Amino acid sequence: MITKAALLKCSIKKFTQLGSKHVTLDDIAKTLGISKKTIYTFYKNKEALVSASIESLINEYKEDINGIVNSNGKDPVLCVIIIYQRGFEYLKYFKPSFLFGLEKYYPKANALFEDFVEELSNTIVYKLLKQVQESRYIKEEVNLKLIVSIYFLRIDKLVFKKSNLFELYPKEELFNHLVVYNLKGIITPNYSNSYFE
């Protein structure tokens, strides 16, 4: 007998690698060797399964973020860098069609994702950068809300344009240009971190 956790794990893998629109419940059932009816015992329809998959990914990433902040809380800049490094690990396994499919076909799942992106950038990252600015390691004139909106709010939209930037550039180079160099531009010279040397 299949468990809900095993069904969710398989669904996440299929949706993120092939795109949520391109994967049918029949595909998932066939992969797991179960009937489609079995899926309906756990989820009322495909949108509910897609939403549960997004929610599971978000919760996993939130656990990572909490661990990062708790273990590196003394250096908020390092927290921001590691949070986005971890985010890149998630994103590099996504096919662009996964996120595009959410936006177009699964409004509830897309709303979960959009809310998380907002919370991550405008709450978590903003608060971390605010701590750095209050410690005088980010230039006083820097508008953090604007910085977060420009550079940190929708990195996924930058990476997954028509051409997938993960396919065009090495992950480290992409990460440095999207995260590290932008932080380096607002950090004062008296801040010391190996990323900025």
Side-chain angles (χ1 to χ4, degrees):
M1 181 71 182
I2 191 80
T3 65
K4 190 174 185 178
L7 170 60
L8 195 56
K9 184 177 180 181
C10 175
S11 301
I12 290 169
K13 185 174 182 181
K14 289 265 190 198
F15 291 149
T16 57
Q17 293 179 356
L18 302 171
S20 49
K21 181 63 178 167
H22 301 293
V23 176
T24 65
L25 293 182
D26 286 321
D27 295 332
I28 294 168
K30 185 177 178 186
T31 299
L32 291 169
I34 60 173
S35 72
K36 192 160 81 169
K37 263 176 122 173
T38 304
I39 295 173
Y40 288 121
T41 63
F42 296 111
Y43 299 99
K44 67 179 181 179
N45 55 34
K46 185 177 173 188
E47 177 153 10
L49 181 56
V50 172
S51 294
S53 298
I54 281 291
E55 192 169 8
S56 178
L57 284 168
I58 288 169
N59 288 337
E60 184 180 328
Y61 189 32
K62 280 183 175 180
E63 280 182 39
D64 282 351
I65 290 169
N66 290 335
I68 291 164
V69 172
N70 291 335
S71 63
N72 298 291
K74 292 183 179 161
D75 188 342
V77 173
L78 186 58
C79 287
V80 171
I81 290 170
I82 296 171
I83 285 168
Y84 280 98
Q85 276 179 332
R86 202 65 48 86
F88 262 56
E89 290 302 315
Y90 284 91
L91 285 177
K92 83 175 184 182
Y93 294 110
F94 288 10
K95 290 289 181 220
S97 60
F98 172 59
L99 295 177
F100 297 146
L102 292 181
E103 199 171 339
K104 192 167 183 180
Y105 303 106
Y106 303 103
K108 289 179 186 170
N110 190 57
L112 287 170
F113 183 71
E114 296 285 334
D115 289 348
F116 169 69
V117 169
E118 281 284 327
E119 178 189 352
L120 172 63
S121 54
N122 290 325
T123 302
I124 298 168
V125 171
Y126 174 78
K127 282 181 181 176
L128 289 167
L129 293 177
K130 191 73 179 158
Q131 287 175 26
V132 181
Q133 193 173 43
E134 287 167 358
S135 299
R136 306 221 186 276
Y137 290 123
I138 288 181
K139 300 167 188 170
E140 192 178 324
E141 68 272 14
V142 170
N143 180 334
L144 292 179
K145 285 284 184 193
L146 184 58
I147 290 292
V148 167
S149 293
I150 294 171
Y151 298 118
F152 297 102
L153 180 58
R154 291 314 302 254
I155 285 180
D156 59 297
K157 298 266 188 203
L158 290 171
V159 172
F160 293 139
K161 295 194 291 187
K162 268 192 178 176
S163 37
N164 182 345
L165 293 180
F166 278 117
E167 294 171 2
L168 298 174
Y169 299 98
K171 184 184 77 146
E172 188 175 324
E173 182 179 2
L174 200 54
F175 179 77
N176 282 335
H177 279 77
L178 290 173
V179 178
V180 176
Y181 299 155
N182 288 318
L183 284 172
K184 192 174 185 176
I186 63 171
I187 298 292
T188 59
N190 54 342
Y191 174 78
S192 176
N193 183 299
S194 61
Y195 277 96
F196 303 128
E197 293 171 1

